[in-house]
Amino acid sequence: MNPQHTTAVIRLDQLKSLGRGEAVLAGGCSSTASAGKSGCGSRAVAEELPAAIWEKVKDHPCYSEAAHHHYARMHVAVAPACNIQCNYCNRKYDCANESRPGVVSERLTPEQAARKVAAVAARLPQLSVLGIAGPGDPLANPQKTFETFERVAQLAPDLKLCLSTNGLALPALVDRIAAYNIDHVTITINMIDPEIGQEIYPWIFWRHRRWTGKEAARILSEQQLLGLERLTERGILCKVNSVMIPGINDEHLIEVNAAIKSRGAFLHNIMPLISAPEHGTVFGLSGRRGPTAQELKALQDRCAGGANLMRHCRQCRADAVGLLGEDRSSEFALDQLDERLPAYDLEARRLYRETVEAERAAMEAATRAERDKLSSLGNESLTLRIAVATRGHGRINEHFGHVREFQIYEVGAAGVVFIGHRRVDAYCQGGYGEEETLETVIQAIADCDAVFVAKIGRCPQEQLDAAGIAVIDRYRFEYIEPSVLRYYQECLELYHRGEYVVRRRGDAQIRQGAYVAA
Ligand code: CLF
Ligand code: SF4
């Protein structure tokens, strides 16, 4: 799977201007609850979960969609070897500007990894999770993986420990995972049918020999499901990642969703295949395409009612650092780290969390108040999709020209839900707008009715108007969800008066290829 020394405590007023996001996969393991649903899942709030579960997810950016606006994760790339081959992975590829499975810029020893964690924690009070996700499979490298967890647990006792695996070696290591207090485990499960599995996995290495074809896929699937059962029996939170591969497992993932729900998975993260010829993967070289945004959403919607869905995954690299929508790994390269371990300031980190919790409570109260205004409505047919320019912290706080990632929300009479994100190149370069880039940005949000921004220039505003996407800047620096709900109420009034024109949505493309870190 795949920032110096100011442990500053951040005040509420500072939060408004904070939040340079990041994004990157391969490493990343790979996981939002279904639209309009509450209950368990990544959108859940405190009162909807048992207290013990809430404690585990409330500041984990992958297991809680609300947490991902505020809390950061970091991966340490200590696990180079893998015991299977996936047709969407090429671990030889190593480029600092790439972001997909197996890709990292530097591999670390457990000691180096612990040093990096200390350095990141000293500068990022928002860091809440340490994950090991590659660049190979963490459980195919058990010594390095568990030694790293042990060192980090001593150094940074408030960090949650997280692991992402293909699951082949999982059942035999469940006791060890529990002994190290690793409370979050992701298993990548792309199939439960070996017929389909043989098209995804050319081989696995199991019991001292290589297996191919259906037999390999059968063994892998058995181990994955057994591992999932053993983990959930022990109360370890499990997320399942599935790569949606059109023409191979897209329809089948509905069965996978049911199978993992029955075994107690907490979340299901269905991610789009990333494949381009230049990645050198089997799927990339053979022209296997990834899904469009609409195809991915349609599949996720068909899984509604099954295992809860994560929709805010950024398909991180195995060495990603920062909020899910940003990648600050280049700020923490090994040769930039101090030889001496920085002090680990538990008190500053606790104060940061307190500040964030106050901010989250205010945001939830504002959202509830707006939602209550909608509660008297019946079955309204109008739904809107909104792209939001944000740098994090749940606010509309980014200039249109600087956006590197839009967050996408869907709103209707039932409420507002986060449905995904769209990565783009920043349109504004050194004070000038790039025409070509603007076209790709508009294409990325072609399925949206409106875009919320903190600020926008006249030229892009005219082009968005021409594309039928309303530009809304009156909610600048406000919370996203209450603003979206307020906008919906305004549109609904116009709709009832016959003055709102419902636009025909285009299909947005999920961006493939290089992600250039900020
Ligand atoms: Fe990392 Fe994975 Fe833990 Fe998160 S990532 S090991 S659960 S801390 Fe998160 Fe990255 Fe998606 Fe994974 S955004 S690829 S779901
Ligand atoms: Fe690559 Fe191994 Fe992860 Fe598959 S399981 S994506 S081959 S590192």
Side-chain angles (χ1 to χ4, degrees), residues 385-389 396 400 403 406 445 448-453 456 464 469-473 487:
R385 202 170 286 176
I386 314 286
V388 179
I396 304 152
F400 177 84
V403 173
F406 288 97
I445 56 171
C448 296
D449 301 278
V451 57
F452 284 18
V453 298
I456 189 167
L464 284 157
I469 303 170
V471 176
I472 309 295
D473 62 3
Y487 179 69

Side-chain angles (χ1 to χ4, degrees), residues 216-235:
R218 185 189 59 74
I219 295 167
L220 178 61
S221 177
E222 278 175 10
Q223 295 302 302
Q224 290 174 332
L225 296 177
L226 181 61
L228 173 61
E229 281 170 13
R230 289 192 179 163
L231 287 168
T232 56
E233 275 163 20
R234 286 176 168 268

Side-chain angles (χ1 to χ4, degrees), residues 1 82 84-86 88-89 91 101-102 135-137 166:
M1 297 240 160
C82 191
I84 71 173
Q85 181 61 53
C86 306
Y88 49 77
C89 177
R91 292 186 306 280
D137 185 75
N166 62 42

Side-chain angles (χ1 to χ4, degrees), residues 24-25 28-31 60 62-63 73-75 129-133 162-164 186 239 241 269 271 310 312-316 324:
V24 255
L25 194 155
C29 76
S30 284
S31 101
H60 193 306
C62 302
Y63 283 69
R73 51 77 182 98
M74 74 176 284
H75 291 156
V129 179
L130 181 271
I132 302 182
C162 198
L163 175 71
S164 178
T186 296
K239 174 167 68 59
N241 287 348
N269 173 23
M271 314 175 296
M310 169 184 187
H312 63 282
C313 174
R314 303 308 202 272
Q315 297 179 277
C316 325
L324 295 193

Side-chain angles (χ1 to χ4, degrees), residues 274-508:
I274 297 178
S275 95
E278 61 269 30
H279 298 160
T281 63
V282 170
F283 285 155
L285 293 169
S286 64
R288 174 76 53 189
R289 72 170 178 92
T292 66
Q294 299 293 65
E295 288 169 340
L296 177 64
K297 181 170 185 306
L299 175 62
Q300 291 171 331
D301 288 349
R302 286 173 69 195
C303 290
N308 282 288
L309 297 180
M310 169 184 187
R311 298 181 198 230
H312 63 282
C313 174
R314 303 308 202 272
Q315 297 179 277
C316 325
R317 291 162 55 115
D319 55 3
V321 175
L323 296 175
L324 295 193
E326 64 183 6
D327 186 6
R328 300 178 61 168
S329 52
S330 60
E331 297 174 44
F332 297 98
L334 210 49
D335 57 9
Q336 294 175 26
L337 301 186
D338 208 319
E339 274 305 316
R340 285 175 312 161
L341 275 186
Y344 194 82
D345 191 340
L346 274 169
E347 181 57 11
R349 298 174 53 75
R350 189 189 64 75
L351 288 171
Y352 175 80
R353 282 169 208 229
E354 255 182 39
T355 311
V356 166
E357 291 320 310
E359 173 89 342
R360 277 173 75 172
M363 185 158 55
E364 273 161 27
T367 303
R368 255 196 313 273
E370 292 299 333
R371 215 172 29 215
D372 288 348
K373 293 185 194 160
L374 285 174
S375 59
S376 58
L377 296 176
N379 288 332
E380 290 291 350
S381 57
L382 182 69
T383 59
L384 300 177
R385 202 170 286 176
I386 314 286
V388 179
T390 176
R391 290 186 288 146
H393 299 281
R395 292 185 186 262
I396 304 152
N397 53 6
E398 184 63 293
H399 189 301
F400 177 84
H402 301 160
V403 173
R404 305 176 64 85
E405 176 192 283
F406 288 97
Q407 297 196 356
I408 312 293
Y409 288 78
E410 204 161 78
V411 59
V416 55
V417 286
F418 175 93
I419 61 163
H421 59 92
R422 306 279 161 74
R423 268 170 30 195
V424 294
D425 287 325
Y427 153 66
C428 183
Q429 305 282 350
Y432 294 96
E434 292 277 345
E435 269 307 304
E436 262 177 44
T437 308
L438 180 57
E439 274 172 37
T440 63
V441 174
I442 293 177
Q443 231 166 27
I445 56 171
D447 59 334
C448 296
D449 301 278
V451 57
F452 284 18
V453 298
K455 201 172 175 203
I456 189 167
R458 208 185 51 197
C459 171
Q461 167 140 20
E462 286 171 356
Q463 295 211 24
L464 284 157
D465 285 343
I469 303 170
V471 176
I472 309 295
D473 62 3
R474 59 182 174 276
Y475 301 119
R476 65 186 73 95
F477 303 118
E478 298 291 328
Y479 294 130
I480 297 170
E481 298 199 6
S483 303
V484 168
L485 286 164
R486 237 178 296 151
Y487 179 69
Y488 179 72
Q489 291 161 49
E490 292 168 19
C491 292
L492 206 53
E493 282 169 26
L494 292 173
Y495 182 65
H496 287 154
R497 297 205 301 265
E499 293 169 18
Y500 185 87
V501 182
V502 179
R503 72 183 288 260
R504 217 173 124 253
R505 287 185 181 135
D507 191 0

Side-chain angles (χ1 to χ4, degrees), residues 89-101:
C89 177
N90 175 7
R91 292 186 306 280
K92 287 187 195 132
Y93 197 105
D94 182 15
C95 165
N97 291 333
E98 261 299 354
S99 141
R100 60 200 162 69

Side-chain angles (χ1 to χ4, degrees), residues 34-69:
S34 7
K37 273 175 58 173
S38 60
C40 68
S42 69
R43 282 189 62 80
V45 292
E47 53 272 24
E48 294 168 348
L49 289 175
I53 306 281
W54 176 247
E55 268 312 304
K56 287 182 186 180
V57 303
K58 71 177 196 297
D59 55 3
H60 193 306
C62 302
Y63 283 69
S64 160
E65 188 253 309
H68 101 282
H69 297 292

